Every structure is written in C-alpha cells, then in structure tokens.
Amino acid sequence: MKRRDFLARAAAVASAGFGLANLRSDGHGFTNSALAANEGSIEKASLEQKFAEFALSIKYEVLPADVIASAKRVLLDTLGCAFGSVGSEPANIAETTIRKTFGEGNTATVIGYARPATVEGALFVNGVLVRSLDLNDTYIGTEPLHPSEVLPTALALCEENGRSGRDLIEAIVVGYEASTRVNDAISFVERGFHPLCAAAYGIPLIAGKIWGLPKEAIANAVGISGARGFTSFVVNSGAISMMKAMGLAATAADGVFATRLAAQGFTGPSGTLEWLASKMKPVKEGFAVDLEVARYRLPRVAFKRFPIQIELQAVAEAGTLLSAKIGGRTQDIRAITVETYPGIIERVADPAKFRPQTKGTADHSLPVCLAMALLDGDVTVDQFEKDRWRARDVMELVSKTSVRPGASLIAKIPKGRGASIVIAFADGQSLHETVEVPEGDAERPLSRASLDRKFMNFAVPVVGMSGAERVMSLVNGLEELKDVRELTRALGGTGKQNPG
C-alpha cells in the first residue's frame, strides 16, 4: 500500500472513532466508509477469509440437535464454575481493577456481583471466574484447551446488544468450533506458547457475528487478534500464579478491541497461523485448519468431575475408589506407584508438582491430588481453598509416590488420559485400581444428574435455591429466549458466597 493511501486510510479510521456508532441499532448494519470503500479490494490470505465465512455460515436453524444440546450443557457447566469462584481473591481483584482500566459501565453483568460493567470489563472478570476453580470443560486436540473461557465474551456481547437465546447459541458454537479446530491443527505448547492462543481466533468471530460485521471486517479482526494472541506457556510452568485464571480473559478483551478496530476499517495482517506453522520450530508441513462446518467438535468436549487439571481426573477417580478400600491404613502405606502417559507425566508430575507452593500448582499436581483423594475420599474446591494440600499427611503420601509411563495403558488407548495405581503396604499386601476413561470424558460423559448437581452446588450459595433453579430453567430453554438479558439479570449477586 502506498504511503499516501495508508495515511488516507488512517485518517478515515481516526475520524470514525473506536466505537461502533456506525452500526444500526439492531447491530446488523455496517456503513463505515473506510471499510466499505475497500470491501473486496484488500487481498487477504485464504485462512482469514475462511474463518470469517465459517462464522457467518453458522445458523441456528441448521445446527444439529446434539450441537444445540451441547451448547446448553457447556453454558450451564460454565456458569456453575463462575458462581463457584465468586468472592475469591483473583475475582475480587479483577472486579475492582476493571473499573479503573475499562471505565464505569452498565451494559454487561458481572456474574455473582452487584455492579454491571462495560463489555470488556465484564468478560474479563467473568473469564477469571470461569477459570479460577480449574473445573471448567476441556477439549483435547493437539493439547488440552478450555474452550468454555470464550463464553463470557458471547454472553456479554449478546447482553449488550439485546440478542436472543438462539443468537447466543450461534455465538457459542462459533467460538467453540473455531478455537477447537485451531487446537486440532497446531500445537502451541510445542512452540512455547499456551493452548489458550487458539481462542485469539475464536473471539473476533464471536464479536463479528454478534455485531453483524461483513466478512472483510471479521477477517481483519482475526488477523489483528491472531497476531497479538500469543501467551507464553510459562503461565502453567513451575509455581502457577493467579495469571492462569486471566490468560484467556485478557486475550478475549484484546480480541474484542481488535474487532472494534476492524469494524472501523482498521486492517490486520494475514497468515498469522501459517507464519507460526512455518517459521517456529517444529515446522509443521501441510498445515491446514479444518473448517468444514458439519464436523462439529462441541459434542466432544469433556467435563470435569474434580476441580483439577483434566489429565488428573482418572487419577483422582482411582484414588477415591482406593480410599474406600484402604480404610484407616494410610499410615501403613509403603509406596504408591502410578502409571499413566508420558505427556501427562511431563505436565503434572514434574519436580515442582511434588512440592507445590501455590494453589494453582497444587491443582495441577498428580501426587498431591492423588494423596488427598486417598486420604479424604474426594478432591474438592474446599480442600484447595483451605490449604489441605499443604498438610503433613498429604505431603507424606506425596513423598511415597512415584510416577512412570504405563505400557499397557498406552498399548490399549494410545491417546488416552487413564491411570493405573498400585498401593504397597508395609506388610506386603497391595491394592490396585485402574481408570482407563475418567467420568466426564467425551467417551464417558458426565450424566445430566451429575451436571445439575455440580451447577447447583456452586450456584445456590451465590443466588439461592430459587435463583439457581431459575438460571437452570432459562438455560434449558435458551432457544426460546427473545432477549438474553432475561438470563443475565438472573446472574447477579452480592460478590459473596452465602451472603447474609
């Protein structure tokens, strides 16, 4: 582009401002002259265009029934996770800070809190709430991803724009499908980045679809967001800090800002994913993202029974089963041997996980989570909040635990997340338990009764029994809602668990 043309484009963008004032009140019009004048004239890499076309092609009327049902399941599960974090230190810090960063606003609900916020403020706090407990859903492509962290963006934007329940379902599907398909296509962890980087491609598609932007604007938003959306995997390394909870929330706020810029004609780079695949080792030959609409990933998302890393679900389940058999003999345990998958060992049984210093490290620690399951018969949020993981009896079992690759597990289910545990007692006796597929896995789905119970356990302390039942009812009938604000109005609270 010539310098003169660039300056003219920049002037047009600046005069338009950063808002979305040029959209009609229904959000579907787009009259920005800077973009309209160049519609169709800007050459874009095919992938950005295909992402935009993909988002615009998702229509409620043609979604399969199982995809719609899955969207409502993940929404209920995600709201439950958010309620469970209300009043936590990370959430309270975020809720206070957004008003200094994004300004005061009343367009979007902060889940479990009394004061609404701007869209960016609400989606940031709600993102922290969703992730804090480490109990939200997981998709396994090239690596574990938590796609439910895109839901706060869909919810806040639909609320701001008065969209329907069907619009929200479309936005959820778009965000989930784009993020999971990127996750299928390339490993960010292999290149030193966090898997949440995949959402940098889903967020602008959500915003662009809800705002009714044209293909060219959405493609530019994807380019801007994708180029900026690289988060280092150091977030999940060593002593895990509170940043674990805000990684994708920050990416989401940035992605919405990128879409606001693109809506006013701001252009973005092309080929951000291709650059990653070709320039950063390991080089990925034949890189492509599957954007065939019919091959939905959403029904394949896994839910968590325990508030710990997804690859620890089988370990915790096996531990709870063994706990009932051990009885009061934990003092007689001589050694604990765990067999699982090499990649899992690398992520949850590295040296730092045997001596965790933070809650965020403890809920990613195989030996710690197993020890609590064996001693207490469960792994719960309360254990982490009350520092149960620091207790002497827990650390004693941790010191007796060794972890190694499980040849039989790998041979039977090469890409599984199972675990096999052997407990040896001082008198020579032993106990053994294997969980090949944990409860909540896509191959062994969490039952509806278990999902409802999980939601109610976290929602009732924040909004009461009647409030929790109302939220559940609204989610179950989401496709019938004319305005999502009927749901979001039911999500507020006092910022505390069990107020009064």
Side-chain angles (χ1 to χ4, degrees):
M1 180 182 289
K2 293 181 179 179
R3 184 173 183 275
R4 180 176 57 192
D5 294 336
F6 172 81
L7 292 174
R9 171 72 58 80
V13 172
S15 65
F18 289 125
L20 292 173
N22 289 318
L23 292 177
R24 292 203 313 264
S25 60
D26 66 358
H28 291 286
F30 191 87
T31 59
N32 181 272
S33 59
L35 183 64
N38 290 278
E39 181 76 33
S41 66
I42 302 174
E43 292 185 5
K44 298 295 294 182
S46 62
L47 189 53
E48 278 78 13
Q49 293 285 0
K50 287 180 179 179
F51 271 123
E53 291 169 356
F54 175 81
L56 295 174
S57 71
I58 299 295
K59 303 291 185 184
Y60 175 85
E61 292 74 19
V62 296
L63 289 175
D66 68 323
V67 173
I68 294 171
S70 295
K72 294 193 292 184
R73 274 174 61 87
V74 298
L75 178 57
L76 188 68
D77 185 72
T78 303
L79 292 176
C81 294
F83 279 130
S85 294
V86 170
S88 66
E89 186 179 7
N92 287 344
I93 292 173
E95 197 272 338
T96 300
T97 306
I98 58 164
R99 305 184 191 284
K100 301 174 183 177
T101 305
F102 299 109
E104 295 292 340
N106 60 358
T107 56
T109 299
V110 178
I111 297 171
Y113 288 79
R115 297 168 63 194
T118 62
V119 164
E120 281 87 344
L123 69 85
F124 183 83
V125 180
N126 292 341
V128 171
L129 287 167
V130 167
R131 186 74 187 100
S132 285
L133 291 183
D134 213 335
L135 196 51
N136 54 323
D137 65 2
T138 303
Y139 178 81
I140 306 291
T142 57
E143 55 216 8
L145 173 71
H146 304 289
S148 57
E149 292 179 75
V150 306
L151 261 67
T153 299
L155 195 64
L157 289 172
C158 280
E159 179 180 12
E160 179 191 47
N161 291 273
R163 295 290 182 231
S164 70
R166 295 188 177 193
D167 292 329
L168 178 56
I169 290 172
E170 288 182 358
I172 291 171
V173 173
V174 166
Y176 260 75
E177 292 297 326
S179 301
T180 54
R181 291 166 192 238
V182 171
N183 180 264
D184 280 341
I186 192 166
S187 168
F188 288 96
V189 173
E190 286 182 351
R191 294 160 178 83
F193 299 110
H194 198 286
L196 68 82
C197 298
Y201 297 87
I203 295 296
L205 299 184
I206 292 172
K209 187 169 183 66
I210 292 172
W211 283 332
L213 303 186
K215 181 175 71 176
E216 195 66 39
I218 297 175
N220 277 314
V222 171
I224 298 168
S225 180
R228 286 182 50 80
F230 293 107
T231 299
S232 169
F233 193 67
V234 71
V235 172
N236 273 44
S237 302
I240 298 175
S241 69
M242 291 182 188
M243 191 184 169
K244 180 193 75 173
M246 65 155 278
L248 202 149
T251 294
D254 199 68
V256 170
F257 179 57
T259 313
R260 292 189 189 278
L261 289 171
Q264 299 298 331
F266 210 96
T267 60
S270 61
T272 55
L273 273 176
E274 294 94 332
W275 182 91
L276 183 71
S278 64
K279 301 296 185 183
M280 296 200 70
K281 295 181 180 179
V283 172
K284 185 175 178 64
E285 302 292 343
F287 172 76
V289 179
D290 178 13
L291 293 177
E292 173 59 45
V293 174
R295 291 194 280 267
Y296 293 99
R297 273 67 167 177
L298 184 50
R300 290 161 45 190
V301 168
F303 290 80
K304 290 184 178 181
R305 171 183 169 184
F306 304 100
I308 54 181
Q309 205 257 23
I310 190 67
E311 293 167 323
L312 294 176
Q313 299 295 307
V315 170
E317 185 175 343
T320 60
L321 294 172
L322 284 168
S323 178
K325 301 175 184 178
I326 292 172
R329 301 180 62 198
T330 53
Q331 293 290 336
D332 299 328
I333 293 176
R334 178 176 57 81
I336 302 170
T337 303
V338 182
E339 292 188 349
T340 186
Y341 294 77
I344 293 177
I345 294 172
E346 181 180 347
R347 287 184 284 273
V348 299
D350 58 279
K353 303 303 190 302
F354 282 79
R355 285 289 175 184
Q357 301 301 310
T358 67
K359 170 183 171 292
T361 306
D363 65 23
H364 279 57
S365 166
L366 185 154
V368 167
C369 293
L370 175 57
M372 292 194 299
L374 293 172
L375 289 163
D376 302 343
D378 202 357
V379 182
T380 67
V381 170
D382 199 49
Q383 288 169 323
F384 293 105
E385 294 300 326
K386 295 183 178 179
D387 287 354
R388 171 70 174 122
W389 51 276
R390 294 183 187 271
R392 178 177 296 180
D393 59 345
V394 171
M395 297 313 299
E396 284 179 355
L397 288 189
V398 167
S399 68
K400 297 176 181 179
T401 302
S402 61
V403 187
R404 66 191 186 194
S408 59
L409 284 170
I410 296 169
K412 187 172 183 179
I413 310 177
K415 295 183 178 181
R417 298 198 305 277
S420 183
I421 301 170
V422 176
I423 296 178
F425 294 94
D427 62 5
Q429 294 184 344
S430 65
L431 292 172
H432 175 266
E433 189 69 53
T434 297
V435 173
E436 294 178 349
V437 180
E439 183 182 10
D441 189 271
E443 301 302 320
R444 189 186 163 202
L446 200 66
S447 70
R448 180 60 204 233
S450 294
L451 177 59
D452 288 354
R453 183 166 55 252
K454 177 181 174 182
F455 171 79
M456 295 298 284
N457 284 343
F458 291 125
V460 171
V462 179
V463 296
M465 180 62 75
S466 61
E469 290 175 343
R470 174 158 176 73
V471 172
M472 184 182 293
S473 176
L474 290 169
V475 172
N476 289 340
L478 187 61
E479 63 269 47
E480 304 303 324
L481 288 185
K482 301 301 182 185
D483 191 329
V484 164
R485 285 174 285 200
E486 188 175 352
L487 169 61
T488 57
R489 281 194 295 266
L491 301 178
T494 65
K496 299 178 181 179
Q497 301 280 334
N498 300 304

